[in-house]
Amino acid sequence: MSDLVSVAAIKDLLTECPICIEHFDDATRIPRRMPCCVQSICQPCLESYSGGAATLSCPMCRRRHNLPGGVKSLPKETVILKTLDYLKIQKGLHLPCTDCPDKEIAVAQCDNCGTFLCSICLSAHKRNTVSKTHTINTFDEMKGRPLQSFRRLHQCSQHQQPVQFYCYTCDKVVCVSCTVVDHKEGKGHNVVSVNEAHQGKAKSINDVLGKIEEKTKRLSETESALQKKIENIKLSMKVARDDINKIFDNLKDRLNQRRTILLSDVEGKSAENLKVTEEALDSTRLLLTKVKSSSEYMRQMRNKADKVEDLQVMGSSKASLNSMLKESPQEIPFDRTGVSFVQANVQHLQNTINVAGMVRSVTFSPTERPNGIPDTAVHNVITLEPAEFPTD
C-alpha cells in the first residue's frame, strides 16, 4: 500500500501534485481533475501513468478510465490555476498582460473583466468608454487580500461571453448566447441562473459530504477494530508459543521433533487468520484513504472556488462521492480468532511422546444476543477447532 496517497499529501493551498510533489503551473504541470477521486494530478504524471494509451489507471485509487482524447481531455482544475495566479501576486512574481499581444508584465487587474493589465493597457482601459467605469485593483493593493476576493474571468469557449447560466439538462455552465442556440428551454433544456443553480447544488453536495464524513468515522472505527483483532491474534500466537516452549523446554531430545511440528502448526494456523484479517485491514485502509483525501480535497477546493468553479467542481465530483458511499471494505466472518496450545498427554510423556500437545484455532464470532443478556456483556459464539490426535 506504499503507492497510496494520504490526506497529508494535500497541501494547504493545493499547489503541489500529490504524486510527484512538484508545483503545478499553467504551462507544463497543468492540474487535471480526475473523475474518480475528486483530486487533481499534474499532466506529466498522468501521461506517464497512461503511457500514451487511451486508457488511464488512476494513480490514487487504480480505477481505469477510457480517454479517447488522451490525458488532455480531462478538465483543467481552474480553482488551482486561480490559486497559482493569486500566489504569484502575493509573492510579487510576474504575470503576463492578458489584454495585449505583447504579453507585457501586468501591474493590475480589472475586477469587472477579470483581465490582467500592463501599464499601457491599464491606461487604455481607463480611457475606453465601455471600461472607464470598471473597478481596477493594482497588484500592490491585492497583496494581503484573501483568495476568495481574487476573481477570474469565466468565459464561454464558444461565444467568448461571460457564463451566467446553468443548464441542468446538460449539467453545464453556459453564456446567454448558449441559451438561445444549444440550450434553448423550448428544446427541453432546463436553464437557470448560476446563483439559483449554485444554491440548489450546494445543498445536495453538502448532504453528500456529510454522509462521506459519517462513512469516514465508520471506516476509522472499523480500522481500529481490525487492528485490535490482529493484535489479539498475534497475542494469542505468542501465548500459545510461550505455553509450548514452557512444556517442551523441560523435555529431552525425544520431544524436539514433536515441538517443531507443533510450532509449525501454530504458525500455519495463525498465518491463515492473519492473512484474512490483514486483507480486510488493507481493504479498509484503502477505502478510508480514498474517502478521507476526497472529502478533505473537496472541502479545500470549494473554499477557494467561486460559484461557477464550485458548480463545475460539484458537477464533476458528485457521482464519484456517491460511488464512494456505496463502496464497502472487505469483511471477515469472525469477531476474534487465535490459536491455543492444549496440554494434553503431558503427564504421560513416556507413552505418548509422539502425540504430546496440539494446536487448534479458537474463534469468537458475533451472534444474536438472547433475551436477558445485557448489552454491556460480551456475547459471542465460541468455535473450537476439532481436536484430532496424530497417530504413529
Side-chain angles (χ1 to χ4, degrees), residues 160-340:
Q160 284 71 52
Q161 293 181 339
V163 290
Q164 299 171 321
F165 300 92
Y166 180 81
C167 179
Y168 272 101
T169 309
C170 302
D171 194 19
K172 184 179 180 181
V173 285
V174 296
C175 70
V176 64
S177 294
C178 291
T179 63
V180 297
V181 179
D182 298 320
H183 302 270
K184 293 180 65 174
E185 292 193 24
K187 292 184 178 180
H189 289 261
N190 181 15
V191 179
V192 298
S193 69
V194 162
N195 287 339
E196 181 180 345
H198 183 269
Q199 184 177 1
K201 280 188 165 287
K203 182 182 184 303
S204 176
I205 204 71
N206 286 337
D207 291 341
V208 173
L209 286 173
K211 293 177 181 177
I212 285 289
E213 289 180 354
E214 292 175 2
K215 184 159 189 173
T216 299
K217 181 180 178 181
R218 292 195 301 271
L219 287 171
S220 297
E221 293 171 351
T222 301
E223 179 193 28
S224 298
L226 288 170
Q227 185 62 50
K228 186 175 181 180
K229 286 178 173 62
I230 287 177
E231 292 172 358
N232 287 335
I233 293 172
K234 292 181 177 180
L235 177 61
S236 71
M237 183 174 68
K238 179 182 182 301
V239 172
R241 289 171 59 91
D242 291 346
D243 287 345
I244 293 170
N245 287 322
K246 181 179 179 180
I247 295 299
F248 281 87
D249 282 347
N250 296 322
L251 301 177
K252 301 293 184 179
D253 293 342
R254 292 177 61 191
L255 295 175
N256 286 338
Q257 183 178 4
R258 180 61 185 162
R259 176 170 58 181
T260 301
I261 294 173
L262 289 170
L263 289 173
S264 177
D265 202 1
V266 169
E267 298 290 341
K269 292 181 182 297
S270 298
E272 293 176 3
N273 296 330
L274 280 172
K275 182 176 182 297
V276 173
T277 309
E278 287 174 340
E279 287 176 352
L281 179 60
D282 285 348
S283 173
T284 299
R285 283 177 172 168
L286 175 64
L287 184 54
L288 174 60
T289 298
K290 177 179 176 180
V291 169
K292 274 187 176 180
S293 60
S294 297
S295 176
E296 178 63 20
Y297 184 92
M298 186 67 176
R299 292 199 176 280
Q300 288 200 41
M301 289 290 295
R302 297 193 65 228
N303 285 340
K304 297 172 177 60
D306 59 27
K307 293 180 179 180
V308 170
E309 293 161 345
D310 205 13
L311 280 171
Q312 295 171 334
V313 170
M314 290 186 292
S316 64
S317 306
K318 183 176 180 180
S320 298
L321 295 173
N322 280 317
S323 177
M324 291 179 204
L325 291 174
K326 296 178 182 178
E327 292 184 47
S328 299
Q330 179 178 327
E331 298 180 353
I332 55 175
F334 54 81
D335 183 66
R336 189 174 66 178
T337 186
V339 294
S340 65

